[in-house]
Amino acid sequence: MDYVGHVIRPPSEAYSMIIQVTVGCSHNMCTFCGAYKDLKPKYWVKDWETVKKDIDEASSYKYGFTKAFLADGDVLILPTEDILRIMNYIKQKNPAIETINVYGNAKAILRKTPEELTALKAAGLTVIYQGIESGNKEVLRRIRKGAFPDVMRECAAKVIDSGIKLSQTVLLGIGGKEMSHEHARDTGKLLGEMSPDFASALTVMILPNTPLYKEYQEGKFVLPDKFGLLQELQIIVKNMNVRRKCYFTSNHASNYLPIKANLPEQQSAVLKMIDQVISNKDESILKPEHMRAL
Ligand code: SF4
């Protein structure tokens, strides 16, 4: 397979056929993200022959794939006809694959017309994964996310209207100690307004190859402590008044406290549980530092 660099995929795509279609991320500006910072050039799109060869090779494995994931960072930014060609070829070579998923940032979603999203859905695009990180405008500006809450709301509505499932991630700690409360409150509110099908809270990890690391070293960015991060989780869930069912998780390897909850049904139970952990200051049930990972 023509894999270049670290091919990153969501945890739920662990058993998917991974076809790397682009290398890197067309935005590549987020201050906390080290995924593609060392790439040279920063971003490129693979030609059809290379992608086709990889699909042929992956299709020859006797693995029995039922899902595929198109990597890297934001394949949705490609012209719709190019994505359709790749999806159709994957399905032609692998009739058992019905589900094909991608990452999509706000810019990519905004560029698609409702008709294009409907065509992608009809071709098998099932989930768009989108990192929104925060619902607070100032935090989004500081981390150079490239999109603000108004745009994110618009994107979410577009994806949900098309019938494609929306899976969004937010980052505990990304507002630093200074913006901790505002970050958590506005993130919970925005998630509630958008009401994605799936939402996950990850915890920011400060990576040496990022601008955030520099801020951290200079003392300009201070990460909340473990219980401060749990308070953020609590505030997010408290403010996350979803309009439709949402499966919320915080069981990523970077987190201290794993949670899986169907919202809105389990909102009160989750809040009670987090409250108990914070009140007891019981570190023994938190994930040990050495077991946390990206
Ligand atoms: S949009 Fe995603 S992949 Fe691209 S730089 Fe930001 S966090 Fe990294």
Side-chain angles (χ1 to χ4, degrees):
M1 299 293 286
D2 182 62
Y3 286 157
V4 181
H6 303 291
V7 182
I8 292 166
R9 44 110 188 122
S12 49
E13 300 291 338
Y15 301 106
S16 301
M17 174 188 284
I18 308 289
I19 304 295
Q20 191 181 32
V21 175
T22 63
V23 182
C25 154
S26 65
H27 178 58
N28 214 352
M29 295 283 285
C30 301
T31 60
F32 60 89
C33 174
Y36 310 116
K37 290 281 187 291
D38 304 324
L39 275 178
K40 286 191 181 64
K42 292 269 181 220
Y43 170 74
W44 72 95
V45 180
K46 290 187 178 178
D47 60 64
W48 165 243
E49 286 311 318
T50 306
V51 173
K52 184 171 177 286
K53 220 170 129 202
D54 270 5
I55 297 172
D56 288 337
E57 184 180 336
S59 306
S60 71
Y61 301 155
K62 302 286 174 237
Y63 180 73
F65 291 109
T66 56
K67 285 169 73 179
F69 180 77
L70 308 182
D72 275 341
D74 60 346
V75 167
L76 198 67
I77 200 91
L78 296 184
T80 300
E81 63 264 27
D82 293 356
I83 305 175
L84 287 172
R85 173 153 80 160
I86 294 164
M87 291 175 71
N88 290 336
Y89 191 62
I90 290 173
K91 287 172 72 179
Q92 181 193 323
K93 300 282 292 187
N94 304 270
I97 289 185
E98 290 185 350
T99 303
I100 303 177
N101 302 327
V102 292
Y103 283 122
N105 63 27
K107 192 162 100 189
I109 296 170
L110 276 185
R111 278 189 186 184
K112 298 288 178 226
T113 63
E115 293 73 26
E116 287 177 303
L117 288 174
T118 306
L120 289 166
K121 155 105 172 99
L125 183 59
T126 306
V127 181
I128 294 177
Y129 297 94
Q130 184 193 18
I132 63 160
E133 329 309 352
S134 178
N136 180 274
K137 196 171 177 181
E138 174 58 18
V139 173
L140 290 167
R141 188 192 65 74
R142 290 186 187 186
I143 65 171
R144 295 190 221 141
K145 188 66 210 175
F148 290 123
D150 282 358
V151 167
M152 289 174 177
R153 262 185 226 106
E154 191 184 330
C155 291
K158 242 174 130 173
V159 173
I160 291 166
D161 283 353
S162 75
I164 297 171
K165 292 195 186 306
L166 183 60
S167 178
Q168 296 180 314
T169 53
V170 300
L171 272 181
L172 301 177
I174 194 62
K177 248 186 168 173
E178 188 192 346
M179 299 287 295
S180 179
H181 182 80
E182 293 89 335
H183 159 60
R185 178 198 61 204
D186 294 348
T187 301
K189 280 186 183 170
L190 184 64
L191 282 174
E193 287 161 10
M194 295 191 293
S195 294
D197 299 276
F198 309 100
S200 308
L202 282 60
T203 299
V204 68
M205 306 282 276
I206 304 178
L207 305 172
N209 64 341
T210 61
L212 186 67
Y213 184 74
K214 197 164 172 276
E215 288 177 39
Y216 169 72
Q217 278 193 315
E218 291 168 355
K220 293 178 186 160
F221 180 88
V222 180
L223 198 59
D225 65 15
K226 287 178 195 174
F227 289 100
L229 292 167
L230 288 187
Q231 255 160 2
E232 287 193 9
L233 184 61
Q234 187 181 39
I235 295 168
I236 288 173
V237 176
K238 191 173 168 193
N239 282 280
M240 204 175 151
N241 297 315
V242 292
R243 291 177 287 104
R244 54 190 207 118
K245 285 183 184 302
C246 173
Y247 187 58
F248 179 84
T249 56
S250 74
N251 58 345
H252 186 262
S254 61
N255 289 341
Y256 289 105
L257 183 68
I259 286 173
K260 292 181 188 174
N262 287 304
L263 298 181
E265 295 88 343
Q266 295 174 301
Q267 188 179 26
S268 318
V270 166
L271 287 173
K272 202 170 155 195
M273 191 271 272
I274 303 173
D275 195 47
Q276 271 173 2
V277 176
I278 294 175
S279 310
N280 296 338
K281 291 252 177 217
D282 180 5
E283 288 209 19
S284 67
I285 66 162
L286 302 183
K287 187 181 289 171
E289 204 58 52
H290 68 273
M291 288 181 68
R292 292 178 65 228
L294 274 178

